[in-house]
Amino acid sequence: MVLCYVYVNVPFNFRMKRMKRIDENSNDSTSVNPPEPFKRIRPEDSEGPHAHCVSDDYPVCDWARLPQELLLHIFQYLPLLDRAYASQVCRGWNQAFHMPELWRCFEFELNQPASSYLKATHPDLIKQIIKRHSNHLQYVSFKVDSSTESAEAACDILSQLVNCSLKTLGLISTARPSFMEVPKSHFISALTVVFVNSKSLSSLKIDDTPVDDPSLKVLVANNSDTLKLLKMSSCPHVSPAGILCVADQCHGLRELALNYHLLSDELLLALSSEKHVHLEHLRIDVVSENPGQHFHTIKKSSWDAMVRHSPKFNLVMYFFLYEEEFSPFFNEEIPVTHLYFGRSVSKEVLGRVGLHCPRLVELVVCANGLRPLDEELIRIAKHCTQLSAIGLGECEVSCSAFVEFVKMCGRRLSQLSIMEEVLIPDHKYSLDEIHWEVSKHLGRVWFPDMMPTW
Amino acid sequence: MVVNTIHWFRKGLRLHDNAALRDSIRGSDSLRCIYILDPWFAGSSNVGINRWRFLLQCLEDLDASLRKLNSRLFVIRGQPTDVFPRLFKEWQINRLSYEHDSEPFGKERDAAIQKLASEAGVSSWIIELNGGQPPLTYKRFQALINHMEAVELPAETITAEVIKTCVTPISDDHDDKYGVPSLEELGFETEGLTTAVWPGGETEALMRLERHLERKAWVANFERPRMNANSLLASPTGLSPYLRFGCLSCRLFYFKLTDLYKKVKKNSTPPLSLYGQLLWREFFYTTATNNPCFDKMDGNPVCVQIPWDRNPEALAKWARAGQLRQEGWIHHLARHAVACFLTRGDLWISWEEGMKVFEELLLDADWSVNAGSWMWLSCSSFFQQFFHCYCPVGFGRRTDPNGDYIRRYLPILRAYPAKYIYDPWNAPEDIQKAAKCIIGLHYPKPMVNHAEASRINIERMKQIYQQLSCYRGLGLLATVPVNPNNGTNGSSQVPVGSVEDTSVQDVPPRAERTQSTQKRRHEDALNEGSSKSWRQSK
């Protein structure tokens, strides 16, 4: 246990008052009810303001009588487990442990041993929190593993947060999306408990859940003034109309994350309306369910409206498509700033990116193929003048073209993550020479990323 | 005084560049080279038949070479702590030599043996390298190597001249008592076992070294070979299992490579990348040597704590890999792909599981390199960008468009046309029928939808890395932390807010951010040099 030396410099009479207050509190009816797994370390101090002096010249330093504000301050530095141990030391410390300020934030970790290597939040602790602290909770997240039981446990807890006025709620699946396995009605009813009771939700993270249009209506009906952030990638039960309702009503929305199928011209226009604040981030996941899937297009005018309304906004796009599915994309200018190709993307598409993405800041390509991307990279260096980060996986670029690219971008390239296999030595540069050349143009020491060679 | 010596072979299974052996022969009157084989190991341990066969072939080879010097190899069955006291007494041993093993388990075992030895009045002769804190990034490691003093020349090979008057007492029943056992004797079923693609032993290793160097010089002047279908097949010049068992000395490899390079490139200094294979080994050994938890996630200070999924069914399917199981080797790019698929790419299963499968099946997987590589490939180590995800279909298509590799190791798919051989589940029904392999019936459906899985997993990875402050922000790329303990949270209560951009975040009371209680490690406190010391204890 961490014990810090604390010199308590408070006037004596104040101290006396503090001790008295502690005494009063210790006669409280609320019993000290420790959670099961935490054993008592020492018997509690008895009542009475006995002074534990070494000498009358020195101020009293009785650990049990530390002022609550001080205990609070110290406890805030301790991880939960250490704090819990500290709470077993004496009544005063136990009371400090239960101060509301320490229970604003909580992350419920719900794991089953059969599906996870990590430990779960103890069920007794969860009970304690619901019983004593649910009305203190403001920033809550649930981390669940891939088992349905964990997701259901999360829903059960949510259903009990009736007294809560949450500002932040996050439902996070750490492995497979287990919230999707929970019966939809169970999930929706648990979620709406929070929507209805909180009334001041500011951040909501519900990716990979079975949330639907009606529940979004409930969210909006109760939290439209406060909602600033909404992340709901891969929520298959939501329709474009559902999300449009959110954009229309929640004018303070600054961050939005969703899948491409929910994106519409109307949505972009709603986000650009006069009543709406400047949008800061828009994250779009473009995911193919089956090869050959067809994707709709968004008008350039809608994107233009967005840029006019929120000139600094970031458009983050993650593409998980088969190569032949890219035809609707990058044919016109699009204000994307962060672009990620999670699967193979063709040379041709990368060529179009060079032409139509003037606001591009970061480009990450997982894979391309065995034809060098020389021209495409040079074009990107030329037209994407804001580009500061690039990552290339299974691609090929000739060393000369790569050096040219880096030269053109210069020092604005703060992230250059290139797998070693990407660079093809040519008549001008070998692999070893290239790292010097590139380092020179970047103004710092640079090496390609390496993978272990067995 | 009569000096009776035991040289204990563990990994350095060779007579060339074996400094411990060479030095301990000096002044010895008798020499016995032993290898201790724990019979329980064969049945119960996670070591497959290919690895056992390789080892036994190495021992046969050593025995044959020693025979030429009027000596023999003594294979002793049992555990070292039981075996040694008996041998010390029986053979009147007063000198024990072995090559230092830097892996944590090895160090522990050797400490116990050293104690035993000194209690029995036996002096231990060990060569070891002194080092400080290990470097945490490969780039930093390379930078250090550049500053280090030159590598020592390989020790002279043990020949009759070296042995001189030192004798090995060999009894008539040597073969019964101390002969190299066969696979059957160890309890393995050998019926149906194909010929070894990788024959074990120092002789084979040295032959391959020559061929390897010939090929390197001949192939485009040391340029990096382009990946093609043939690369995936086992190469007759491949050296990794021989390095691992010590049949081939790293030092010898290093010097031969350097000499050849200088000859071909007219005396220019060889770049570090030439020694890539060797350097990676050294790097992982260095990182692992003081970390007994190196092969686990839990309690391992250099491993990111990732909430992997427990999924034994999917793991079993993944482990069905053909070439690995048959031959005990797969190309390192194929390793990257399968490792990525198992962990961060698709199945989201812990790298520890994959590591165990490799440990069982791979000929060249030793503790440090295997664990280190798995951590690297699963992005569990602090020096790896995680965006790079191998798409199993795409990777195959690009490397081997005709699918020859698949046809060889998965013969059930042999009749599929090249267009569909990497994703047979997408082939129309008539093609599947013509190929006499219906997906779902003769060959299982894919375990995951790769697009969906990789989307989910990149998000999971990002969430975890966002706990490391340098990954805050919208991008996927970030400066990889040098210090693994920078900004790591333990079991903290992190509010959700906008993890993409702190400016929008509802900042909760500052107090809720808990401080890391982990120790901080300073890379700069590293020893700049590495010195070799010759240790002798009485």
Side-chain angles (χ1 to χ4, degrees):
Chain A
M1 184 160 79
V2 174
L3 279 178
C4 24
Y5 181 83
V6 175
Y7 183 74
V8 182
N9 190 13
V10 292
F12 186 73
N13 54 354
F14 175 69
R15 198 162 59 244
M16 285 304 294
K17 279 195 194 141
R18 301 283 311 145
M19 289 181 343
K20 237 188 163 171
R21 197 159 67 167
I22 288 169
D23 276 346
E24 280 163 16
N25 283 347
S26 64
N27 289 328
D28 235 357
S29 56
T30 43
S31 56
V32 172
N33 191 16
E36 229 25 60
F38 310 120
K39 293 207 180 81
R40 286 178 174 275
I41 295 171
R42 271 180 13 213
E44 41 192 291
D45 288 350
S46 52
E47 286 84 52
H50 64 265
H52 209 73
C53 305
V54 174
S55 129
D56 284 328
D57 294 331
Y58 290 96
V60 168
C61 195
D62 184 345
W63 296 107
R65 303 291 182 228
L66 282 176
Q68 292 279 289
E69 298 92 68
L70 206 62
L71 282 173
L72 172 64
H73 186 74
I74 296 166
F75 278 13
Q76 283 167 348
Y77 283 94
L78 297 179
L80 180 62
L81 193 60
D82 291 347
R83 226 185 285 167
Y85 281 130
S87 77
Q88 298 305 292
V89 168
C90 63
R91 277 226 172 116
W93 288 28
N94 192 279
Q95 275 154 11
F97 177 68
H98 286 292
M99 287 175 82
E101 289 85 340
L102 292 171
W103 297 97
R104 298 257 176 263
C105 259
F106 200 80
E107 182 161 84
F108 293 92
E109 290 178 272
L110 303 166
N111 304 312
Q112 308 297 316
S115 43
S116 173
Y117 295 93
L118 301 181
K119 298 200 178 76
T121 312
H122 201 281
D124 289 344
L125 176 58
I126 296 178
K127 281 196 203 119
Q128 273 275 302
I129 291 172
I130 295 176
K131 186 171 152 202
R132 286 182 79 155
H133 297 292
S134 58
N135 54 334
H136 302 146
L137 291 172
Q138 286 179 347
Y139 307 92
V140 173
S141 57
F142 292 84
K143 275 197 170 153
V144 304
D145 66 8
S146 57
S147 70
T148 319
E149 294 133 292
S150 302
E152 280 178 343
C155 293
D156 288 336
I157 298 170
L158 273 175
S159 313
Q160 296 178 66
L161 297 181
V162 180
N163 294 326
C164 276
S165 190
L166 291 185
K167 293 203 174 117
T168 295
L169 175 65
L171 301 179
I172 301 166
S173 17
T174 59
R176 282 170 291 158
S178 43
F179 281 109
M180 296 304 296
E181 312 293 315
V182 174
K184 184 161 172 270
S185 50
H186 183 194
F187 176 80
I188 299 292
S189 63
L191 197 59
T192 44
V193 165
V194 174
F195 288 173
V196 168
N197 287 288
S198 286
K199 299 211 191 312
S200 57
L201 268 176
S202 172
S203 295
L204 183 62
K205 199 168 193 282
I206 43 175
D207 310 87
D208 294 299
T209 62
V211 67
D212 58 8
D213 288 358
S215 39
L216 284 182
K217 279 217 172 87
V218 176
L219 169 70
V220 166
N222 290 282
N223 302 279
S224 61
D225 293 337
T226 49
L227 194 66
K228 293 197 187 112
L229 179 152
L230 177 60
K231 291 195 175 197
M232 35 173 278
S233 299
S234 283
C235 292
H237 300 302
V238 177
S239 78
I243 189 66
L244 187 56
C245 168
V246 177
D248 275 336
Q249 308 284 328
C250 303
H251 300 140
L253 195 63
R254 296 185 209 171
E255 272 195 54
L256 182 59
L258 39 64
N259 276 28
Y260 191 76
H261 78 270
L262 292 181
L263 195 66
S264 61
D265 296 302
E266 292 80 21
L267 180 66
L268 292 179
L269 293 173
L271 292 170
S272 321
S273 80
E274 267 181 13
K275 295 176 277 180
H276 210 101
V277 301
H278 297 304
L279 193 74
E280 293 186 22
H281 308 313
L282 178 60
R283 150 99 184 239
I284 302 172
D285 281 16
V286 191
V287 187
S288 167
E289 313 283 316
N290 296 298
Q293 189 172 335
H294 210 64
F295 291 90
H296 64 282
T297 43
I298 299 291
K299 294 191 195 127
K300 182 172 181 298
S301 51
S302 312
W303 287 120
D304 290 344
M306 280 290 298
V307 177
R308 269 197 306 273
H309 183 77
S310 311
K312 297 208 184 112
F313 95 107
N314 290 298
L315 177 59
V316 181
M317 296 185 83
Y318 279 46
F319 282 86
F320 296 92
L321 300 183
Y322 290 89
E323 270 195 39
E324 61 269 22
E325 293 167 334
F326 277 99
S327 40
F329 299 102
F330 304 109
N331 299 306
E332 289 183 304
E333 207 174 274
I334 179 171
V336 60
T337 51
H338 297 74
L339 190 50
Y340 174 67
F341 292 104
R343 303 190 72 168
S344 185
V345 61
S346 70
K347 242 168 96 77
E348 205 212 317
V349 172
L350 288 174
R352 300 209 299 265
V353 166
L355 286 178
H356 296 128
C357 305
R359 289 174 95 231
L360 197 63
V361 168
E362 179 182 274
L363 174 65
V364 180
V365 179
C366 254
N368 166 259
L370 291 176
R371 289 159 61 214
L373 293 173
D374 296 3
E375 284 160 22
E376 289 74 16
L377 271 189
I378 305 275
R379 191 188 284 176
I380 287 170
K382 191 165 165 208
H383 296 272
C384 306
T385 54
Q386 309 299 311
L387 190 76
S388 60
I390 185 163
L392 298 177
E394 292 168 67
C395 304
E396 287 201 350
V397 184
S398 75
C399 284
S400 314
F402 185 66
V403 171
E404 185 61 30
F405 168 78
V406 177
K407 212 163 137 187
M408 285 171 79
C409 293
R411 292 182 185 213
R412 58 180 159 98
L413 272 185
S414 58
Q415 300 292 340
L416 183 57
S417 181
I418 311 290
M419 298 297 296
E420 202 198 8
E421 293 112 28
V422 167
L423 301 169
I424 308 300
D426 54 25
H427 58 280
K428 259 181 120 182
Y429 298 102
S430 73
L431 276 180
D432 304 295
E433 289 155 356
I434 204 176
H435 108 88
W436 286 117
E437 275 299 308
V438 171
S439 302
K440 209 170 63 187
H441 294 301
L442 287 178
R444 61 177 194 271
V445 178
W446 178 86
F447 285 98
D449 286 354
M450 310 214 198
M451 293 287 243
T453 335
W454 230 281
Chain B
M1 189 189 76
V2 176
V3 178
N4 297 315
T5 299
I6 286 181
H7 178 78
W8 182 19
F9 276 111
R10 297 95 63 83
K11 272 202 206 148
L13 303 177
R14 61 179 185 266
L15 296 181
H16 71 272
D17 189 30
N18 193 333
L21 174 57
R22 184 207 55 193
D23 288 344
S24 69
I25 289 176
R26 285 201 198 111
S28 288
D29 297 286
S30 82
L31 167 74
R32 288 173 177 88
C33 296
I34 73 169
Y35 186 90
I36 302 182
L37 200 61
D38 187 342
W40 288 110
F41 228 51
S44 62
S45 88
N46 187 28
V47 177
I49 190 172
N50 277 325
R51 282 207 15 212
W52 272 109
R53 176 167 56 174
F54 192 93
L55 172 65
L56 296 178
Q57 286 170 340
C58 291
L59 298 180
E60 297 270 6
D61 192 69
L62 261 183
D63 190 35
S65 308
L66 284 168
R67 249 193 249 241
K68 293 186 194 140
L69 303 170
N70 288 325
S71 181
R72 291 295 300 270
L73 178 69
F74 291 70
V75 177
I76 322 271
R77 314 226 194 157
Q79 302 222 333
T81 39
D82 298 326
V83 159
F84 276 112
R86 186 168 46 91
L87 295 181
F88 290 157
K89 220 169 161 187
E90 194 182 313
W91 294 337
Q92 313 254 293
I93 299 297
N94 40 23
R95 186 187 286 181
L96 170 65
S97 77
Y98 53 85
E99 190 184 297
H100 178 67
D101 183 352
S102 64
E103 292 186 321
F105 165 72
K107 289 198 287 197
E108 209 183 296
R109 171 202 58 199
D110 293 349
I113 298 304
Q114 258 192 279
K115 191 157 172 281
L116 266 177
S118 63
E119 279 165 11
V122 176
S123 65
S124 302
W125 292 56
I126 317 144
I127 293 191
E128 73 175 87
L129 275 158
N130 278 335
Q133 287 271 354
L136 288 167
T137 65
Y138 186 66
K139 291 171 194 177
R140 180 124 179 89
F141 180 74
Q142 284 184 307
L144 283 173
I145 299 281
N146 265 327
H147 288 118
M148 274 170 60
E149 54 204 41
V151 178
E152 260 198 29
L153 285 168
E156 50 182 314
T157 311
I158 311 295
T159 55
E161 283 82 56
V162 175
I163 291 201
K164 287 202 210 21
T165 54
C166 183
V167 294
T168 305
I170 305 169
S171 57
D172 290 332
D173 60 353
H174 179 101
D175 285 316
D176 292 328
K177 275 176 103 172
Y178 304 116
V180 179
S182 67
L183 278 173
E184 292 84 1
E185 280 169 29
L186 289 177
F188 285 100
E189 184 57 63
T190 54
E191 203 179 293
L193 191 65
T194 48
T195 355
V197 175
W198 301 83
E202 183 184 6
T203 316
E204 174 74 22
L206 292 171
M207 218 166 40
R208 279 178 176 246
L209 177 62
E210 290 309 316
R211 275 190 253 138
H212 180 98
L213 295 170
E214 270 169 28
R215 182 164 169 264
K216 238 190 161 56
W218 187 71
V219 169
N221 278 336
F222 284 97
E223 258 153 41
R224 190 193 55 219
R226 302 284 282 271
M227 184 71 180
N228 59 38
N230 277 328
S231 324
L232 294 173
L233 302 174
S235 154
T237 60
L239 293 173
S240 53
Y242 304 93
L243 286 169
R244 191 228 157 212
F245 279 86
C247 311
L248 173 62
S249 146
C250 302
R251 251 191 301 261
L252 182 68
F253 184 25
Y254 174 88
F255 275 103
K256 289 241 166 180
L257 208 51
T258 312
D259 287 343
L260 184 62
Y261 185 90
K262 286 192 171 145
K263 230 191 310 188
V264 170
K265 295 275 202 181
K266 315 278 186 279
N267 266 326
S268 61
T269 322
L272 269 184
S273 56
L274 182 69
Y275 312 108
Q277 190 177 14
L278 290 174
L279 287 181
W280 277 106
R281 280 178 54 86
E282 295 303 314
F283 173 67
F284 286 129
Y285 268 90
T286 317
T287 322
T289 184
N290 288 323
N291 182 359
C293 293
F294 192 67
D295 64 342
K296 296 183 247 308
M297 178 172 80
D298 193 23
N300 184 350
V302 301
C303 184
V304 181
Q305 305 296 306
I306 296 176
W308 303 113
D309 196 16
R310 274 204 140 112
N311 189 342
E313 196 193 313
L315 175 64
K317 281 194 199 160
W318 172 86
R320 263 193 299 100
Q323 187 187 27
L324 181 58
R325 207 164 268 282
Q326 277 180 47
E327 295 174 16
W329 182 91
I330 52 173
H331 190 280
H332 75 261
L333 283 184
R335 290 178 209 201
H336 296 172
V338 302
C340 182
F341 183 82
L342 180 75
T343 58
R344 62 193 174 88
D346 292 62
L347 297 183
W348 198 254
I349 289 176
S350 168
W351 59 270
E352 291 181 62
E353 304 294 342
M355 180 192 73
K356 286 180 202 150
V357 172
F358 273 28
E359 187 183 24
E360 183 197 340
L361 300 175
L362 259 190
L363 288 176
D364 55 20
D366 55 20
W367 190 81
S368 311
V369 177
N370 195 16
S373 300
W374 270 96
M375 274 193 278
W376 194 285
L377 297 173
S378 62
C379 290
S380 301
S381 55
F382 289 87
F383 20 65
Q384 173 72 324
Q385 292 283 356
F386 56 82
F387 73 84
H388 179 210
C389 176
Y390 284 91
C391 166
V393 171
F395 174 73
R397 277 219 181 95
R398 281 185 288 280
T399 313
D400 174 17
N402 196 41
D404 294 327
Y405 180 83
I406 299 278
R407 286 178 219 282
R408 178 164 163 165
Y409 291 102
L410 285 173
I412 189 99
L413 295 175
R414 200 181 293 148
Y416 267 84
K419 183 172 179 198
Y420 291 109
I421 194 153
Y422 286 106
D423 53 350
W425 48 87
N426 284 332
E429 235 186 273
D430 51 321
I431 302 250
Q432 291 192 28
K433 280 203 182 113
K436 295 203 182 64
C437 176
I438 308 292
I439 301 303
L441 196 63
H442 306 111
Y443 187 79
K445 286 200 179 130
M447 284 195 263
V448 285
N449 173 338
H450 178 74
E452 187 58 18
S454 52
R455 179 199 66 80
I456 291 171
N457 292 340
I458 195 95
E459 222 25 64
R460 307 292 166 246
M461 264 307 181
K462 199 169 177 213
Q463 267 166 37
I464 292 147
Y465 271 80
Q466 273 168 348
Q467 317 271 1
L468 303 173
S469 55
C470 59
Y471 272 87
R472 289 283 157 77
L474 292 170
L476 260 186
L477 303 179
T479 320
V480 179
V482 162
N483 185 332
N485 298 322
N486 254 335
T488 323
N489 73 316
S491 55
S492 79
Q493 303 156 11
V494 178
V496 160
S498 161
V499 287
E500 309 276 270
D501 179 2
T502 44
S503 64
V504 187
Q505 184 178 12
D506 280 319
V507 182
R510 176 234 156 215
E512 298 314 319
R513 258 158 256 153
T514 57
Q515 284 184 349
S516 167
T517 50
Q518 284 175 305
K519 281 188 289 198
R520 298 194 164 262
R521 292 216 265 157
H522 300 285
E523 272 210 339
D524 296 321
L526 204 58
N527 271 2
E528 276 297 325
S530 159
S531 60
K532 236 167 103 171
S533 77
W534 194 192
R535 242 179 59 196
Q536 184 184 348
S537 68
K538 273 253 170 323

